[in-house]
Structure formats: structure tokens, C-alpha cells
Coordinates of all heavy atoms in Angstrom, one line a residue:
P20 N 19.9 6.4 -5.8 CA 19.9 5.0 -5.9 C 18.9 4.4 -4.8 O 18.3 3.5 -5.1 CB 21.3 4.7 -5.5 CG 22.2 5.8 -5.9 CD 21.2 7.0 -5.7
W21 N 18.8 5.0 -3.6 CA 17.8 4.5 -2.6 C 16.5 4.6 -3.1 O 15.7 3.8 -2.9 CB 18.2 5.1 -1.3 CG 17.8 6.6 -1.2 CD1 18.6 7.7 -1.5 CD2 16.5 7.1 -0.9 NE1 17.9 8.8 -1.4 CE2 16.6 8.5 -1.0 CE3 15.2 6.6 -0.6 CZ2 15.5 9.4 -0.9 CZ3 14.2 7.4 -0.4 CH2 14.3 8.8 -0.5
A22 N 16.1 5.8 -3.8 CA 14.8 6.0 -4.3 C 14.4 5.0 -5.4 O 13.4 4.4 -5.5 CB 14.5 7.4 -4.6
M23 N 15.4 4.8 -6.3 CA 15.2 3.9 -7.4 C 15.0 2.4 -6.9 O 14.2 1.7 -7.5 CB 16.4 3.9 -8.3 CG 16.4 5.1 -9.3 SD 14.9 5.3 -10.2 CE 14.9 3.8 -11.1
Q24 N 15.6 2.1 -5.8 CA 15.3 0.8 -5.2 C 13.9 0.6 -4.8 O 13.2 -0.4 -5.1 CB 16.3 0.5 -4.0 CG 16.0 -0.8 -3.5 CD 17.0 -1.2 -2.3 OE1 17.9 -0.3 -1.9 NE2 16.7 -2.3 -1.6
I25 N 13.4 1.6 -4.2 CA 11.9 1.7 -3.9 C 11.0 1.5 -5.1 O 10.1 0.8 -5.1 CB 11.5 2.8 -3.0 CG1 12.4 2.8 -1.6 CG2 10.1 2.9 -2.8 CD1 12.3 4.0 -0.8
V26 N 11.3 2.4 -6.1 CA 10.6 2.4 -7.3 C 10.5 0.9 -7.9 O 9.4 0.5 -8.3 CB 11.1 3.5 -8.3 CG1 10.4 3.2 -9.7 CG2 10.9 4.9 -7.7
E27 N 11.7 0.4 -7.9 CA 11.7 -1.0 -8.6 C 11.0 -2.0 -7.7 O 10.4 -2.9 -8.2 CB 13.3 -1.3 -8.8 CG 13.9 -0.5 -9.8 CD 15.4 -0.6 -9.9 OE1 15.9 -1.5 -9.1 OE2 16.0 0.0 -10.8
E28 N 11.1 -1.9 -6.4 CA 10.4 -2.9 -5.5 C 8.9 -2.8 -5.7 O 8.3 -3.8 -5.7 CB 10.8 -2.7 -4.1 CG 12.2 -3.0 -3.7 CD 12.5 -2.8 -2.2 OE1 11.6 -2.9 -1.4 OE2 13.8 -2.3 -2.0
L29 N 8.5 -1.5 -5.7 CA 7.0 -1.4 -5.8 C 6.4 -1.6 -7.1 O 5.3 -2.1 -7.3 CB 6.6 -0.1 -5.1 CG 6.8 0.1 -3.6 CD1 6.4 1.5 -3.3 CD2 6.1 -1.0 -2.9
D30 N 7.2 -1.3 -8.2 CA 6.8 -1.7 -9.5 C 5.4 -1.3 -9.9 O 4.6 -2.1 -10.2 CB 7.2 -3.2 -9.8 CG 7.0 -3.4 -11.3 OD1 7.4 -2.6 -12.1 OD2 6.6 -4.6 -11.6
S31 N 5.0 0.0 -9.6 CA 3.7 0.5 -9.9 C 3.9 2.0 -10.4 O 5.0 2.5 -10.6 CB 2.9 0.5 -8.6 OG 1.5 0.8 -8.8
Y32 N 2.8 2.6 -10.7 CA 2.7 3.9 -11.3 C 3.6 4.8 -10.4 O 3.4 4.9 -9.2 CB 1.3 4.5 -11.4 CG 1.3 5.8 -11.9 CD1 1.6 6.2 -13.2 CD2 1.2 7.0 -11.0 CE1 1.5 7.5 -13.7 CE2 1.2 8.3 -11.4 CZ 1.4 8.5 -12.8 OH 1.4 9.8 -13.3
T33 N 4.5 5.5 -11.1 CA 5.3 6.5 -10.3 C 5.4 7.8 -11.2 O 5.4 7.7 -12.4 CB 6.8 5.9 -10.2 OG1 6.8 4.6 -9.5 CG2 7.7 6.8 -9.5
E34 N 5.3 8.9 -10.4 CA 5.4 10.2 -11.0 C 6.3 11.1 -10.2 O 6.6 10.9 -9.1 CB 4.0 10.8 -11.1 CG 3.4 11.1 -9.7 CD 2.1 11.8 -9.9 OE1 1.3 11.5 -10.8 OE2 1.7 12.5 -9.0
V35 N 6.8 12.2 -10.9 CA 7.6 13.2 -10.3 C 6.7 14.1 -9.5 O 5.5 14.4 -9.9 CB 8.3 14.1 -11.4 CG1 9.2 15.0 -10.8 CG2 9.2 13.0 -12.3
S36 N 7.2 14.4 -8.3 CA 6.4 15.3 -7.4 C 6.3 16.7 -7.9 O 7.0 17.1 -8.8 CB 7.0 15.2 -6.0 OG 8.2 16.0 -6.0
P37 N 5.4 17.6 -7.4 CA 5.3 19.0 -7.9 C 6.7 19.7 -7.8 O 6.9 20.6 -8.6 CB 4.2 19.5 -7.0 CG 3.4 18.4 -6.6 CD 4.4 17.3 -6.4
S38 N 7.4 19.5 -6.8 CA 8.7 20.2 -6.6 C 9.7 19.8 -7.6 O 10.6 20.5 -7.9 CB 9.2 20.0 -5.2 OG 9.7 18.6 -5.0
G39 N 9.5 18.6 -8.2 CA 10.5 18.1 -9.2 C 11.6 17.4 -8.4 O 12.5 16.8 -9.2
A40 N 11.6 17.3 -7.2 CA 12.8 16.8 -6.3 C 12.4 15.5 -5.7 O 13.3 14.8 -5.1 CB 13.1 17.8 -5.3
G41 N 11.1 15.0 -5.9 CA 10.7 13.8 -5.3 C 9.9 12.9 -6.2 O 9.6 13.4 -7.3
L42 N 9.6 11.8 -5.7 CA 8.7 10.9 -6.4 C 7.4 10.4 -5.7 O 7.6 10.3 -4.4 CB 9.5 9.6 -6.9 CG 10.7 9.8 -7.8 CD1 11.4 8.6 -7.9 CD2 10.2 10.3 -9.2
H43 N 6.4 10.2 -6.3 CA 5.2 9.5 -5.8 C 5.1 8.1 -6.4 O 5.0 8.0 -7.6 CB 3.9 10.2 -6.0 CG 3.8 11.6 -5.5 ND1 3.0 12.6 -6.0 CD2 4.4 12.2 -4.4 CE1 3.2 13.7 -5.4 NE2 4.0 13.5 -4.4
V44 N 5.1 7.1 -5.6 CA 4.8 5.8 -6.1 C 3.4 5.4 -5.7 O 3.2 5.3 -4.4 CB 5.8 4.7 -5.6 CG1 5.5 3.3 -6.3 CG2 7.2 5.1 -6.0
I45 N 2.4 5.2 -6.5 CA 1.0 5.0 -6.1 C 0.8 3.5 -6.4 O 1.0 2.9 -7.4 CB 0.1 5.9 -6.9 CG1 0.5 7.3 -6.7 CG2 -1.3 5.6 -6.5 CD1 -0.2 8.3 -7.6
V46 N 0.3 2.8 -5.3 CA 0.0 1.5 -5.3 C -1.4 1.2 -4.6 O -2.0 2.1 -4.0 CB 1.0 0.6 -4.5 CG1 2.3 0.8 -5.1 CG2 1.0 0.9 -3.0
R47 N -2.0 0.0 -4.8 CA -3.2 -0.4 -4.0 C -2.7 -1.3 -2.9 O -2.2 -2.4 -3.2 CB -4.2 -1.1 -5.0 CG -5.0 -0.2 -5.8 CD -6.1 -0.9 -6.6 NE -5.6 -1.8 -7.6 CZ -5.4 -1.4 -8.8 NH1 -5.6 -0.3 -9.3 NH2 -4.9 -2.3 -9.7
A48 N -2.9 -0.8 -1.7 CA -2.5 -1.7 -0.6 C -2.9 -0.9 0.8 O -3.3 0.3 0.7 CB -0.9 -1.8 -0.4
N49 N -2.9 -1.7 1.8 CA -3.3 -1.1 3.2 C -2.0 -1.1 3.9 O -1.3 -2.1 4.0 CB -4.3 -1.8 3.8 CG -5.7 -1.8 3.1 OD1 -6.2 -0.6 2.9 ND2 -6.2 -2.9 2.8
L50 N -1.7 0.0 4.6 CA -0.5 0.0 5.5 C -0.7 -0.6 6.7 O -1.8 -0.6 7.4 CB -0.1 1.5 5.7 CG 0.5 2.2 4.5 CD1 0.7 3.7 4.8 CD2 2.0 1.6 4.2
P51 N 0.4 -1.3 7.3 CA 0.3 -1.8 8.7 C 0.3 -0.7 9.6 O 0.6 0.5 9.2 CB 1.6 -2.6 8.8 CG 2.2 -2.7 7.5 CD 1.6 -1.6 6.6
E52 N -0.1 -0.9 10.9 CA 0.0 0.1 11.9 C 1.4 0.6 12.1 O 2.3 -0.2 11.9 CB -0.7 -0.4 13.2 CG -2.1 -0.7 13.1 CD -2.9 0.6 12.7 OE1 -2.7 1.6 13.3 OE2 -3.9 0.4 11.9
G53 N 1.5 1.8 12.6 CA 2.8 2.3 12.9 C 3.1 3.6 12.3 O 2.2 4.3 11.8
R54 N 4.4 4.0 12.3 CA 4.8 5.3 11.8 C 4.5 5.5 10.3 O 4.4 4.4 9.6 CB 6.3 5.5 12.1 CG 6.5 5.6 13.7 CD 8.0 5.7 14.0 NE 8.7 6.6 13.2 CZ 9.9 6.3 12.8 NH1 10.6 5.2 13.3 NH2 10.6 7.1 12.0
R55 N 4.5 6.6 9.8 CA 4.4 7.0 8.4 C 5.5 7.8 7.7 O 5.5 7.9 6.6 CB 3.0 7.7 8.2 CG 1.8 7.0 8.7 CD 1.5 5.8 7.7 NE 0.3 5.1 8.2 CZ 0.3 3.9 8.6 NH1 1.5 3.3 8.7 NH2 -0.9 3.2 9.0
R56 N 6.3 8.4 8.6 CA 7.4 9.2 8.0 C 8.7 8.8 8.8 O 8.7 8.7 10.0 CB 7.1 10.7 8.3 CG 6.0 11.3 7.5 CD 5.7 12.7 7.8 NE 7.0 13.4 7.6 CZ 7.2 14.7 7.6 NH1 6.1 15.4 8.0 NH2 8.3 15.3 7.3
A57 N 9.8 8.8 8.0 CA 11.1 8.6 8.5 C 12.1 9.2 7.5 O 12.2 8.7 6.3 CB 11.5 7.1 8.7
G58 N 12.7 10.3 7.8 CA 13.7 10.8 6.8 C 13.0 11.3 5.6 O 12.0 12.0 5.7
R59 N 13.4 10.9 4.5 CA 12.8 11.3 3.2 C 11.7 10.3 2.7 O 11.2 10.5 1.6 CB 14.0 11.3 2.2 CG 14.9 12.4 2.6 CD 16.1 12.5 1.5 NE 17.0 11.3 1.7 CZ 18.0 11.0 1.0 NH1 18.3 11.9 0.0 NH2 18.8 10.0 1.1
V60 N 11.2 9.4 3.5 CA 10.3 8.4 3.1 C 8.9 8.6 3.9 O 9.0 8.7 5.1 CB 10.8 7.0 3.3 CG1 9.7 6.0 3.0 CG2 11.9 6.7 2.5
E61 N 8.0 8.8 3.1 CA 6.5 8.8 3.7 C 5.6 8.0 3.1 O 5.7 7.6 1.8 CB 6.1 10.3 3.5 CG 6.8 11.4 4.1 CD 6.1 12.7 3.8 OE1 4.9 12.9 3.7 OE2 7.0 13.7 3.6
M62 N 4.8 7.2 3.9 CA 3.8 6.3 3.4 C 2.5 6.5 4.0 O 2.3 6.6 5.2 CB 4.3 4.8 3.6 CG 5.6 4.5 3.1 SD 6.2 2.8 3.6 CE 5.1 1.8 2.6
Y63 N 1.4 6.7 3.1 CA 0.1 7.0 3.6 C -0.9 6.2 2.8 O -0.7 5.9 1.6 CB -0.3 8.4 3.5 CG 0.7 9.4 4.2 CD1 1.6 10.1 3.5 CD2 0.7 9.4 5.5 CE1 2.5 10.9 4.2 CE2 1.5 10.3 6.2 CZ 2.4 11.0 5.5 OH 3.3 11.8 6.2
D64 N -2.0 5.7 3.5 CA -3.1 5.1 2.8 C -4.5 5.8 3.2 O -5.5 5.4 2.7 CB -3.2 3.6 3.0 CG -3.4 3.3 4.6 OD1 -3.4 4.1 5.4 OD2 -3.6 2.1 4.8
R65 N -4.4 6.9 3.9 CA -5.7 7.6 4.3 C -5.3 8.9 5.0 O -4.1 9.0 5.5 CB -6.6 6.7 5.1 CG -6.0 6.3 6.4 CD -6.9 5.3 7.1 NE -6.3 4.6 8.2 CZ -5.5 3.6 8.2 NH1 -5.3 3.0 7.0 NH2 -5.0 3.0 9.2
G66 N -6.2 9.7 5.0 CA -6.0 11.0 5.9 C -5.1 12.0 5.3 O -4.6 12.9 6.2
R67 N -4.6 11.9 4.1 CA -3.7 12.8 3.4 C -4.1 13.2 2.1 O -4.8 12.5 1.4 CB -2.3 12.3 3.4 CG -1.6 12.1 4.7 CD -1.0 13.4 5.2 NE -0.2 13.2 6.3 CZ -0.4 13.7 7.4 NH1 -1.3 14.4 7.8 NH2 0.5 13.4 8.4
F68 N -3.8 14.4 1.7 CA -4.0 14.8 0.3 C -2.7 15.1 -0.3 O -1.8 15.5 0.4 CB -4.8 16.2 0.3 CG -6.2 16.0 0.7 CD1 -6.6 16.3 2.1 CD2 -7.2 15.5 -0.1 CE1 -7.9 16.1 2.5 CE2 -8.5 15.4 0.3 CZ -8.9 15.7 1.6
F69 N -2.6 14.9 -1.6 CA -1.4 15.3 -2.3 C -1.7 15.6 -3.7 O -2.8 15.2 -4.3 CB -0.2 14.2 -2.2 CG -0.5 12.9 -2.9 CD1 0.0 12.7 -4.2 CD2 -1.3 11.9 -2.4 CE1 -0.3 11.5 -4.9 CE2 -1.6 10.7 -3.1 CZ -1.1 10.6 -4.3
T70 N -0.8 16.4 -4.4 CA -1.1 16.7 -5.8 C -0.6 15.7 -6.7 O 0.5 15.3 -6.6 CB -0.4 18.0 -6.1 OG1 -0.9 19.0 -5.2 CG2 -0.7 18.5 -7.5
V71 N -1.5 15.2 -7.5 CA -1.1 14.2 -8.6 C -0.7 15.0 -9.8 O -1.4 15.8 -10.3 CB -2.3 13.3 -9.0 CG1 -1.9 12.4 -10.1 CG2 -2.7 12.6 -7.8
T72 N 0.5 14.9 -10.2 CA 1.1 15.7 -11.3 C 0.9 15.1 -12.7 O 0.9 15.8 -13.7 CB 2.6 15.9 -11.1 OG1 3.3 14.6 -11.3 CG2 3.0 16.5 -9.8
G73 N 0.8 13.8 -12.8 CA 0.7 13.1 -14.1 C 2.0 13.1 -14.8 O 2.1 12.7 -16.0
D74 N 3.1 13.6 -14.2 CA 4.5 13.6 -14.8 C 5.0 12.3 -14.6 O 5.8 12.0 -13.7 CB 5.2 14.8 -14.2 CG 6.6 15.0 -14.8 OD1 6.9 14.3 -15.7 OD2 7.3 15.8 -14.3
H75 N 4.7 11.3 -15.5 CA 5.1 9.9 -15.3 C 6.7 9.8 -15.3 O 7.4 10.5 -16.0 CB 4.6 9.1 -16.5 CG 5.0 7.7 -16.6 ND1 6.0 7.2 -17.4 CD2 4.7 6.7 -15.8 CE1 6.2 6.0 -17.2 NE2 5.4 5.6 -16.2
F76 N 7.1 9.0 -14.3 CA 8.6 8.8 -14.2 C 9.0 7.7 -15.3 O 8.5 6.6 -15.2 CB 8.9 8.3 -12.8 CG 10.3 8.2 -12.5 CD1 11.2 9.2 -12.4 CD2 10.9 6.9 -12.3 CE1 12.5 9.2 -12.1 CE2 12.3 6.7 -12.0 CZ 13.1 7.9 -11.9
P77 N 10.0 8.1 -16.1 CA 10.3 7.2 -17.2 C 10.7 5.8 -16.7 O 11.5 5.7 -15.7 CB 11.6 7.9 -17.8 CG 11.3 9.4 -17.5 CD 10.7 9.4 -16.2
G78 N 10.3 4.8 -17.3 CA 10.7 3.4 -17.0 C 9.8 2.8 -16.0 O 9.8 1.5 -15.9
A79 N 9.0 3.5 -15.3 CA 8.1 2.9 -14.3 C 6.7 2.5 -15.1 O 6.4 3.1 -16.1 CB 7.7 4.0 -13.3
P80 N 6.0 1.5 -14.5 CA 4.7 1.1 -15.1 C 3.7 2.4 -15.2 O 3.8 3.4 -14.4 CB 4.2 0.1 -14.1 CG 5.4 -0.4 -13.5 CD 6.2 0.8 -13.3
R81 N 2.8 2.4 -16.1 CA 1.8 3.5 -16.2 C 0.5 3.1 -15.5 O -0.4 3.9 -15.6 CB 1.6 3.7 -17.7 CG 2.8 4.5 -18.3 CD 2.4 4.9 -19.7 NE 3.5 5.7 -20.2 CZ 3.7 7.0 -20.0 NH1 2.8 7.7 -19.4 NH2 4.7 7.7 -20.6
R82 N 0.4 1.9 -14.8 CA -0.7 1.5 -14.1 C -0.5 1.3 -12.7 O 0.7 0.8 -12.3 CB -1.3 0.1 -14.7 CG -1.8 0.3 -16.1 CD -2.3 -1.1 -16.5 NE -2.6 -1.1 -18.0 CZ -3.9 -1.1 -18.4 NH1 -4.8 -1.2 -17.5 NH2 -4.3 -1.0 -19.6
V83 N -1.5 1.7 -11.9 CA -1.4 1.4 -10.4 C -1.7 0.0 -10.2 O -2.6 -0.6 -10.7 CB -2.5 2.2 -9.7 CG1 -2.5 2.0 -8.2 CG2 -2.3 3.7 -10.0
R84 N -0.8 -0.6 -9.4 CA -0.9 -2.1 -9.3 C -1.1 -2.5 -7.7 O -0.7 -1.8 -6.9 CB 0.5 -2.8 -9.7 CG 0.7 -2.6 -11.2 CD 2.0 -3.2 -11.7 NE 2.0 -3.1 -13.2 CZ 3.2 -3.4 -13.8 NH1 4.3 -3.7 -13.3 NH2 3.1 -3.4 -15.1
D85 N -1.7 -3.7 -7.5 CA -1.8 -4.2 -6.2 C -0.4 -4.6 -5.7 O 0.3 -5.4 -6.3 CB -2.7 -5.5 -6.2 CG -4.1 -5.1 -6.6 OD1 -4.6 -4.0 -6.2 OD2 -4.8 -5.9 -7.4
R86 N 0.0 -4.1 -4.5 CA 1.3 -4.4 -4.0 C 1.3 -4.5 -2.4 O 2.1 -4.0 -1.7 CB 2.2 -3.3 -4.4 CG 2.6 -3.2 -5.8 CD 3.5 -4.4 -6.2 NE 3.7 -4.3 -7.6 CZ 3.3 -5.1 -8.6 NH1 2.3 -6.0 -8.2 NH2 3.8 -5.0 -9.8
Q87 N 0.4 -5.4 -1.9 CA 0.2 -5.4 -0.5 C 1.5 -6.0 0.2 O 2.1 -5.4 1.1 CB -1.0 -6.4 -0.2 CG -1.3 -6.5 1.4 CD -1.7 -5.0 1.9 OE1 -2.5 -4.3 1.4 NE2 -1.1 -4.6 3.1
A88 N 2.0 -7.1 -0.3 CA 3.2 -7.8 0.2 C 4.4 -6.8 0.2 O 5.2 -6.7 1.1 CB 3.5 -9.1 -0.4
E89 N 4.5 -6.2 -1.0 CA 5.7 -5.3 -1.1 C 5.6 -4.1 -0.2 O 6.6 -3.7 0.4 CB 5.7 -4.8 -2.6 CG 6.1 -5.9 -3.6 CD 4.9 -6.7 -4.1 OE1 3.7 -6.5 -3.5 OE2 5.0 -7.5 -4.9
V90 N 4.4 -3.5 0.0 CA 4.2 -2.4 1.0 C 4.5 -2.8 2.4 O 5.1 -2.1 3.1 CB 2.8 -1.7 0.8 CG1 2.5 -0.9 2.0 CG2 2.8 -1.0 -0.4
E91 N 4.1 -4.0 2.7 CA 4.3 -4.5 4.1 C 5.8 -4.7 4.4 O 6.4 -4.3 5.4 CB 3.6 -5.8 4.3 CG 2.1 -5.6 4.4 CD 1.3 -6.9 4.6 OE1 1.9 -8.0 4.6 OE2 0.1 -6.8 4.6
A92 N 6.6 -5.2 3.4 CA 7.9 -5.4 3.5 C 8.7 -4.0 3.6 O 9.6 -3.9 4.3 CB 8.5 -6.2 2.4
L93 N 8.3 -3.1 2.7 CA 8.9 -1.8 2.8 C 8.8 -1.0 4.0 O 9.5 -0.4 4.6 CB 8.4 -1.0 1.5 CG 9.1 0.3 1.2 CD1 10.5 0.1 0.7 CD2 8.3 1.1 0.2
H94 N 7.5 -1.1 4.5 CA 7.1 -0.5 5.8 C 7.9 -1.0 6.9 O 8.5 -0.3 7.8 CB 5.6 -0.6 6.0 CG 5.1 0.2 7.2 ND1 5.1 -0.3 8.5 CD2 4.6 1.4 7.2 CE1 4.6 0.6 9.3 NE2 4.3 1.7 8.6
A95 N 8.1 -2.4 7.0 CA 8.8 -3.0 8.0 C 10.3 -2.5 7.9 O 10.9 -2.4 9.0 CB 8.7 -4.5 7.9
R96 N 10.8 -2.3 6.8 CA 12.2 -1.9 6.7 C 12.4 -0.5 7.1 O 13.3 -0.2 7.8 CB 12.7 -2.1 5.2 CG 14.2 -1.9 5.1 CD 14.6 -2.4 3.7 NE 14.4 -1.5 2.7 CZ 13.8 -1.7 1.5 NH1 13.3 -2.9 1.2 NH2 13.6 -0.8 0.6
F97 N 11.5 0.5 6.8 CA 11.6 1.8 7.1 C 11.1 2.2 8.4 O 11.5 3.1 9.0 CB 11.1 2.7 6.0 CG 12.0 2.9 4.8 CD1 11.8 2.0 3.7 CD2 13.0 3.8 4.8 CE1 12.6 2.2 2.7 CE2 13.8 3.9 3.7 CZ 13.6 3.1 2.6
F98 N 10.1 1.5 8.9 CA 9.4 1.7 10.1 C 9.4 0.6 11.1 O 8.3 0.0 11.4 CB 8.0 2.4 9.9 CG 8.0 3.4 8.8 CD1 7.5 3.1 7.6 CD2 8.4 4.6 9.1 CE1 7.5 4.1 6.6 CE2 8.4 5.6 8.2 CZ 7.9 5.3 6.8
P99 N 10.5 0.0 11.6 CA 10.5 -1.3 12.4 C 9.7 -0.9 13.7 O 9.6 0.2 14.2 CB 11.9 -1.5 12.6 CG 12.6 -0.3 12.4 CD 11.9 0.6 11.4
P100 N 9.1 -2.0 14.2 CA 8.4 -1.8 15.5 C 9.3 -1.2 16.5 O 10.5 -1.4 16.5 CB 8.0 -3.2 15.9 CG 8.0 -4.0 14.6 CD 9.1 -3.4 13.7
S101 N 8.7 -0.5 17.5 CA 9.5 0.1 18.6 C 10.4 -0.9 19.3 O 10.0 -2.1 19.4 CB 8.6 0.6 19.7 OG 7.7 1.7 19.1
G102 N 11.6 -0.4 19.6 CA 12.5 -1.2 20.3 C 13.5 -2.0 19.4 O 14.4 -2.7 19.8
E103 N 13.4 -1.8 18.0 CA 14.2 -2.5 17.1 C 15.2 -1.5 16.5 O 15.0 -0.4 16.4 CB 13.5 -3.2 16.0 CG 12.7 -4.4 16.5 CD 12.1 -5.1 15.3 OE1 12.7 -5.1 14.2 OE2 11.1 -5.7 15.6

């Protein structure tokens, strides 16, 4: 359920990861400064490689969409500034 909430919030191309146990939601956006990993959530906009599987996640859009505001909100929720 927690992952589906992210998929629905970002509403962009989503695919099943190579392991079959995770998802990649691909968007056009720039990440704010700060952390990139917390628990089972990772967010990157540069400096990383990953395998694109093409295994579309059912129900998700088939196009990569612009999601700057949504990425900023998600980043703030999962990676709050130090001291919060």
C-alpha cells in the first residue's frame, strides 16, 4: 500500500524492477538537495545507473511525465531537513 501511494502521487511511467520485488517510477524533475535513500525509498536525478526493464506496471501511465512539484513534496516527506 505505501508503494502504491507513491505510484499514484507521481502518476508517471512505472515499471517492475529487475528483481521483481520493487518498482521504478520515472519522472522528469530535479531533486532538491539532501538525502537520496531512506529505508526502501531511493530518489535520484543524476550520478546513478539502473536497469530499465520495460516491464510496465499495470494501471500506471505509459509516458514519463513532468512532476517537479510532486517530487519536491515526496522528497520533503521522506527526507526532511536535518533536525526534523
Side-chain angles (χ1 to χ4, degrees):
W21 67 270
M23 281 306 302
Q24 181 179 354
I25 294 170
V26 169
E27 290 169 2
E28 285 177 41
L29 292 176
D30 192 32
S31 188
Y32 177 78
T33 303
E34 64 177 28
V35 179
S36 68
S38 70
L42 297 173
H43 297 154
V44 183
I45 302 173
V46 302
R47 278 188 295 270
N49 294 306
L50 285 172
E52 293 300 318
R54 295 178 35 221
R55 299 287 182 248
R56 291 180 58 175
R59 299 180 285 181
V60 175
E61 299 179 35
M62 299 176 76
Y63 301 106
D64 64 351
R65 62 188 166 276
R67 292 281 193 239
F68 293 95
F69 69 97
T70 302
V71 176
T72 66
D74 186 3
H75 176 254
F76 185 69
R81 291 189 173 270
R82 293 181 183 251
V83 175
R84 296 180 172 168
D85 294 320
R86 291 291 183 253
Q87 187 63 47
E89 293 84 354
V90 163
E91 289 173 5
L93 189 67
H94 188 272
R96 193 165 80 231
F97 281 95
F98 311 104
S101 298
E103 290 186 29

